[in-house]
Amino acid sequence: MNTVWGLLVVITFFNGCIIKQQWWTYAKSQITGNASIPSRPEVINIGSILTLDTIIGKVAKIGLEAAVENVNNDPTILKGTKLKLIVHDSNFSGFLSIMEAFQSLETESVAIIGPQTSVLAHMISHVVNKLQVPLLSFTATDPTLSSLQYPFFVRTTHSDAFQMAAIADIVGYYEWKQVVAIYIDDDHGRNGITFLADQLATKRCKISHKAPIKPDARRADIREVLLQIALMESRVIVVHTYANWGLDVLQAAHDLHMMDRGYVWITTNWLSTVIDISSWVNPTKFFSSMQGVITLRSYIKNSPLKRKFATEWKNMTTLGLSTYSLYAYDTIWLLARALDNFFNHGGSVSFSKDPERNDSRGGFLNLDSLRIFNEGNSLLNNILQVKMNGTTGPVEFTSDKNLISPAFEVINVIGTGFRRVGYWSNSSRLSTTLPETLPNRTSSPKPLRNVIWPGETLKKPRGWVFPHNGNQLKIGVPKHVNFKEFVDQVKGTDMYEGYCIDVFTSAVNLLPYAVPYKFYPYGDGYHDPDATHLVSLISAGVYDAVVGDIAIITNRTQMADFTQPYTESGLVVVAPVRRLNSGTWAFLRPFTAKLWCVTGLFFIVVGAIVWILEHRINDEFRGPPKQQIITTLWFSFSTLYFSHKQNMMSSLGRLVLIMWLLVVLIISSSYTASLTSILTVQKLSSPIEGISSLMSIKDPIGYQQNSFVRNYLVDELGISETRLVPLNLPEDYEKALNDGPNNGGVAAVVDERPYIELFLSTRCQFSIVGQQFTKNGWGFAFPRDSPLAVDISSAILKLSENGELQRIHDKWLTRSACSSQGAKTAVDRLELKSFKGLFFICGLACCIALFIYLGLTIHQYAKHKPDLLEPSTRSLKPGRLKTFISFVDEKQESVKARTQKRLEEARSRASLDGNDLSVNGSRSSRRVSVSDTP
């Protein structure tokens, strides 16, 4: 209802302005005989709506009047046109005061500066939209005023959206998860806190409780709100109010001992404004109720303009200079420069009647005389296009009508003053360096300096306590029918015991505060309960936490927050095993069958290659075929013991032997080590070697009923559901494994390691086979973003460090009936892939030696058997091949001797042929000479 009356008052204000303007225009036209309006009027009236009974209203009025005076005295702007500021007091006391202020206003205005509150800005914006008059405000910081709904609203300060982003970054930096928001329940407070909630959500934080204060609240009302907050667990409190109410909140909190150690108080910039303006009246009393509070203050770079205005300010008032004074001063200059540009481009001031209002029903408010500012859009565009340097730094608007470069100082109130602990800007976020020196950075090595918190402590508050409302935590625990060593109800009582219970109670005992709780069983007592459904009951509000053997898996983490794992877990395969450390053929187990075959083949191949390389030059590798075969095999296998007696005559033979002896050395050493391990350590074996071999067969697989194992085997590993057999008790595990897949049992059981280790502690005929194929842990589940989960996690780490966690494990889970055994023989057997590289190198050396030998032999054959080659023939005929093989089989010395003998015979024939040729030549010459004689 107050909003409607306010609208009527605003309309009255504009009616008076328009009627006066019309009369003034008519009078001037009659005097000058010219109906046209000058392009640069002598006086431009500017309306202003402030709340003068507040400290912000007082300093804003001084800043506005100082700016108007400086603009009017500056000949470089507006060129003779003077600004006239008409200030009206909204009085903050209700409708009647506002009405009196507006009804007294009967002058024209091309723009309105104000109002001081976002509530009035929402109301007046509807009117200025209709009449197209720009509305400039340096105090209405509600982010929703920037929406497209208010095109003529121009904010000349920074929106609360940036303040809320800064507060969210502070909360996130200190790793708090919940805050309590105290705010005035109006447009300013509600919309600001909504933006804070959105910013906190990006940090995985939330507002755990909203505490609105009535706009007309008294101190008793504020005290009642704070008493409710004191009963809650969150100790991080954000205060977003007006200055008067904010000081009452801090004073009431001080009286209720809510400014003691453990609390965190963060305020928006209203507190820094109060400190800047009036803190020096009585510093001791003033600061006593706000020790350790963190507040924000708009960051304004120190500049000559700012220093000059600060000097002028001291001569105008005894009040302190605040950022609102600077923004008020710059707002007038912003409007003056926009008007100057407006007139430079031929703009003029004129009004016209609203064409949508054709009736004459105006009543005592004279609504039918409303006029629209014809050039309002043009002036608005000039305002948004201004770029200048003011006392607050560069003044320029972004595309969404926000001032550029929003930045804040982070202030810690301490003693009779404050200390700056850092800065926040939209580009660099939290930092200890000036915002202008960190362009486009998202983090800083040290975001904030040390803060002195309430209670005069440097230690960061935890940010929450267990609520003092007397309620106990409802903790759900699974009602097991098997593996009761983990969780079990004590008969005849409502108490529980077991490994998981002891870990939880020990962790709670380490907390620095008391946590009352009570266990509630979940399950029918006949079947193990579904742990995933139990965790889901936390988000449903049934339980406050879940304690038990709860594995931390993906779908459960989407329902709740888990603590630090207190024991490692993962899925393993258990199967029947048999002893392997005795038997007739135990010596064959170190190598797989494939490795045995390849090794034996290499013995034969290397012996054959050595025989080829040595046959033509080494007498030890010659003789009858039977003898050569025996010699070759003996040589090859005797290298296994390095007892070969044959000497290598060729370089290629030595190369092959060296490589082979390296292979033999490594193979024999590995065999010896593996056989020793098998006969002394590895004692069990199973046809199932792990999850891979289990997937490759079609035998049934057992799993614990109602566990996540079934879904994992089906969804992740693709095992058919028809193969899965649910088992309940450890006795069921034992019977199914003993029966085997052929007698209605299972080939193996897949379950979590802690269960299997407990199962195997008294059943030595089974063992874990293969490796663990998932890795997770067990933890306690709490609601999302629960601070108790963080503290319990820290306590679990302490239990691990001091050895208490291991003691609890030994108490409940250690058994001595069976020693630690494992069926790892199949996995630990040496396989061919372990020696592939070695065999490859040896084989490559053999091939290279054989290739070189073949080339040399062919060359010798061509050199020592030239009479057997036919150049016109491209391939050897069978007869030639047989001759070549005979050549290769022949000893090299015999070939050389035969060749030498052939050369000598060739020289003898050549010498004889030469002698005959010389004798015959002499005879021929004689005959010629005789015949030529006349």
Side-chain angles (χ1 to χ4, degrees), residues 911-923:
S911 60
L912 292 175
D913 292 343
N915 293 334
D916 294 340
L917 180 61
S918 61
V919 173
N920 294 334
S922 60
R923 292 176 179 174

Side-chain angles (χ1 to χ4, degrees), residues 478-483 522-533 549 556 571 701-711 713 724-730 732-733 746 749-752 755-756:
K479 191 173 184 180
H480 274 300
V481 295
N482 61 359
F483 300 113
Y522 173 77
D524 57 11
Y526 299 99
H527 302 88
D528 275 351
D530 186 346
T532 301
H533 185 263
D549 46 341
R556 294 175 187 171
L571 296 182
I701 303 172
Y703 71 95
Q704 186 178 163
Q705 191 174 25
N706 290 329
S707 73
F708 74 94
V709 177
R710 176 186 176 279
N711 291 336
L713 295 177
L724 302 181
V725 179
L727 303 172
N728 202 19
L729 299 173
D732 298 336
Y733 285 24
V746 297
V749 170
V750 177
D751 206 347
E752 295 182 73
Y755 299 130
I756 295 302

Side-chain angles (χ1 to χ4, degrees), residues 519-575:
F519 293 125
Y520 291 84
Y522 173 77
D524 57 11
Y526 299 99
H527 302 88
D528 275 351
D530 186 346
T532 301
H533 185 263
L534 176 57
V535 172
S536 69
L537 295 179
I538 295 178
S539 57
V542 177
Y543 298 120
D544 297 314
V546 168
V547 171
D549 46 341
I550 310 298
I552 305 173
I553 57 177
T554 303
N555 62 334
R556 294 175 187 171
T557 58
Q558 297 171 355
M559 305 173 185
D561 280 353
F562 282 84
T563 62
Q564 169 82 15
Y566 59 86
T567 187
E568 292 186 358
S569 182
L571 296 182
V572 294
V573 178
V574 63

Side-chain angles (χ1 to χ4, degrees), residues 579 680-684 753 757 760-761 764 766-768 815-824:
R579 293 185 177 276
T680 59
V681 179
Q682 305 297 334
K683 301 180 179 181
L684 303 175
R753 178 176 285 275
E757 289 181 346
L760 296 177
S761 63
C764 306
F766 310 112
S767 181
I768 295 174
R815 300 288 186 272
S816 58
C818 291
S819 60
S820 178
Q821 299 173 353
K824 300 181 180 179

Side-chain angles (χ1 to χ4, degrees), residues 77-243:
I77 191 168
L78 290 179
K79 300 176 178 63
T81 300
K82 302 299 182 180
L83 297 180
K84 184 179 181 181
L85 179 68
I86 304 173
V87 179
H88 298 278
D89 185 8
S90 65
N91 204 15
F92 239 162
S93 61
F95 170 72
L96 292 178
S97 298
I98 300 175
M99 186 173 183
E100 290 176 359
F102 280 100
Q103 285 180 343
S104 65
L105 184 61
E106 294 182 357
T107 184
E108 60 187 14
S109 294
V110 296
I112 297 178
I113 297 178
Q116 189 172 318
T117 64
S118 299
V119 176
L120 288 176
H122 276 280
M123 180 181 66
I124 296 176
S125 293
H126 292 286
V127 178
V128 298
N129 289 348
K130 187 66 176 177
L131 301 181
Q132 299 183 12
V133 177
L135 177 66
L136 290 76
S137 179
F138 54 89
T139 53
T141 54
D142 178 6
T144 62
L145 286 169
S146 299
S147 65
L148 299 177
Q149 184 182 7
Y150 308 112
F152 280 86
F153 176 82
V154 179
R155 182 186 289 108
T156 57
T157 186
H158 295 299
S159 166
D160 279 342
F162 300 109
Q163 275 202 96
M164 299 310 171
I167 292 175
D169 282 350
I170 294 173
V171 173
Y173 168 66
Y174 288 111
E175 298 179 339
W176 297 313
K177 296 301 181 182
Q178 298 181 9
V179 302
V180 172
I182 301 176
Y183 59 96
I184 292 294
D185 194 13
D186 60 10
D187 292 337
H188 170 72
R190 285 191 302 270
N191 294 335
I193 293 302
T194 298
F195 271 76
L196 174 61
D198 293 340
Q199 293 293 332
L200 288 173
T202 64
K203 309 293 182 182
R204 287 204 65 186
C205 308
K206 68 177 181 179
I207 297 177
S208 60
H209 177 70
K210 294 182 179 180
I213 298 176
K214 296 184 297 184
D216 58 349
R218 296 171 299 177
R219 291 194 176 185
D221 300 324
I222 294 175
R223 182 183 177 89
E224 186 66 27
V225 170
L226 292 179
L227 286 174
Q228 295 177 7
I229 294 175
L231 298 176
M232 297 176 183
E233 63 180 28
S234 179
R235 286 293 182 263
V236 182
I237 304 171
V238 177
V239 184
H240 180 51
T241 65
Y242 303 113

